[in-house]
Amino acid sequence: MIVYVPQDIMDRLFRQLKSVPKEIPEVLRNTINDTAKSARREVVAQAQKQYSVRAGAFNKSMQIENATKKHLQATLHSEGKPMPLYGFKKRKNIGPVAAKAQVLSRGSLKELLLKGGDDNGKDLKAFVQKMKKNGHYGIFERMTREERRKSTSQKRNAIKQLHAPSIPQMLGNEKDVYAVAQPIIVKELRKNLEKHIAAVMGGMK
């Protein structure tokens, strides 16, 4: 996502600061960088409305490349692998009931089972387990015969950890995340611009 100042706002800025043109690059840089921070908060807030993952995970994934006086735009980008399903709203397996998880905020906890996935045609039920390597917990499911063939493990009891989409995939949902956040970001841009113009004009008194 790129944050920049549209031409109509640029024209207004040049009119208001025509007496001090040397201040314009700094006003633009500060405006864009403040707005980039606001944009990250707003995009995270909108994403949280769609997905049941904690804000910290979104913030950690989403980085800002700040604007400079020579490069007057800021870039928000996100990197990350598919997220372990354990990081979402979940309920561990209890008795014959498989573990449950909820990825979408507007959804509900759903039992995680693969119908007929066992070698004998029985359902494969997900379960919560502590990982031996690092001591972290995850939601796992036994592999199907086809998955074992493609895996390095041929053991019948081999397991795999279940994952949800990556944060970049969630944040890239234009319809539900960016599209909703965009009008608010533009409003923040105008507010930040007025703030920095006022600071310059106030300093001239």
Side-chain angles (χ1 to χ4, degrees):
M1 180 178 187
I2 297 175
V3 178
Y4 64 95
V5 178
Q7 189 59 49
D8 63 316
I9 299 179
M10 286 280 285
D11 293 341
R12 181 180 176 187
L13 172 65
F14 275 90
R15 287 196 300 271
Q16 290 186 266
L17 294 182
K18 62 182 180 181
S19 61
V20 282
K22 65 179 182 179
E23 300 289 346
I24 291 176
E26 184 172 359
V27 168
L28 284 171
R29 181 196 63 187
N30 293 340
T31 296
I32 292 170
N33 289 338
D34 282 356
T35 305
K37 293 176 184 177
S38 299
R40 178 167 63 179
R41 287 195 299 270
E42 186 57 35
V43 167
V44 168
Q46 292 300 329
Q48 272 199 290
K49 292 179 181 179
Q50 304 299 325
Y51 300 96
S52 65
V53 67
R54 290 188 289 270
F58 284 112
N59 283 322
K60 188 181 294 185
S61 167
M62 202 167 190
Q63 307 299 319
I64 299 175
E65 183 179 336
N66 283 323
T68 66
K69 290 182 180 180
K70 293 184 179 180
H71 186 68
L72 293 170
Q73 67 178 35
T75 304
L76 281 73
H77 58 89
S78 180
E79 298 178 354
K81 300 177 181 179
M83 291 188 66
L85 202 53
Y86 191 81
F88 292 76
K89 188 175 181 181
K90 72 274 182 185
R91 184 176 297 165
K92 68 178 183 179
N93 48 301
I94 302 174
V97 181
K100 297 182 178 182
Q102 177 183 338
V103 174
L104 296 175
S105 296
R106 63 179 178 270
S108 59
L109 285 166
K110 293 183 179 180
E111 189 175 9
L112 303 169
L113 54 83
L114 179 61
K115 291 187 177 295
D118 181 73
D119 291 0
N120 297 319
K122 295 182 179 181
D123 297 343
L124 290 176
K125 297 179 181 180
F127 53 91
V128 175
Q129 182 171 306
K130 187 177 182 179
M131 292 182 272
K132 293 181 179 179
K133 289 185 178 180
N134 53 25
H136 293 166
Y137 283 87
I139 298 178
F140 296 86
E141 185 180 80
R142 298 198 184 282
M143 290 183 179
T144 63
R145 179 179 293 164
E146 185 63 27
E147 288 172 332
R148 295 199 305 272
R149 286 174 181 168
K150 297 178 181 179
S151 171
T152 56
S153 176
Q154 299 297 317
K155 296 180 180 179
R156 186 170 179 177
N157 62 349
I159 62 175
K160 63 180 180 181
Q161 184 172 193
L162 300 182
H163 292 78
S166 67
I167 287 181
Q169 287 175 312
M170 296 181 206
L171 294 174
N173 189 331
E174 296 282 349
K175 180 179 178 181
D176 294 330
V177 178
Y178 284 131
V180 177
Q182 189 62 32
I184 301 172
I185 293 170
V186 172
K187 184 177 179 180
E188 282 292 308
L189 177 67
R190 294 178 183 277
K191 184 177 77 174
N192 288 327
L193 183 65
E194 293 299 329
K195 178 181 72 176
H196 289 294
I197 289 176
V200 170
M201 301 305 287
M204 294 171 57
K205 294 180 181 179

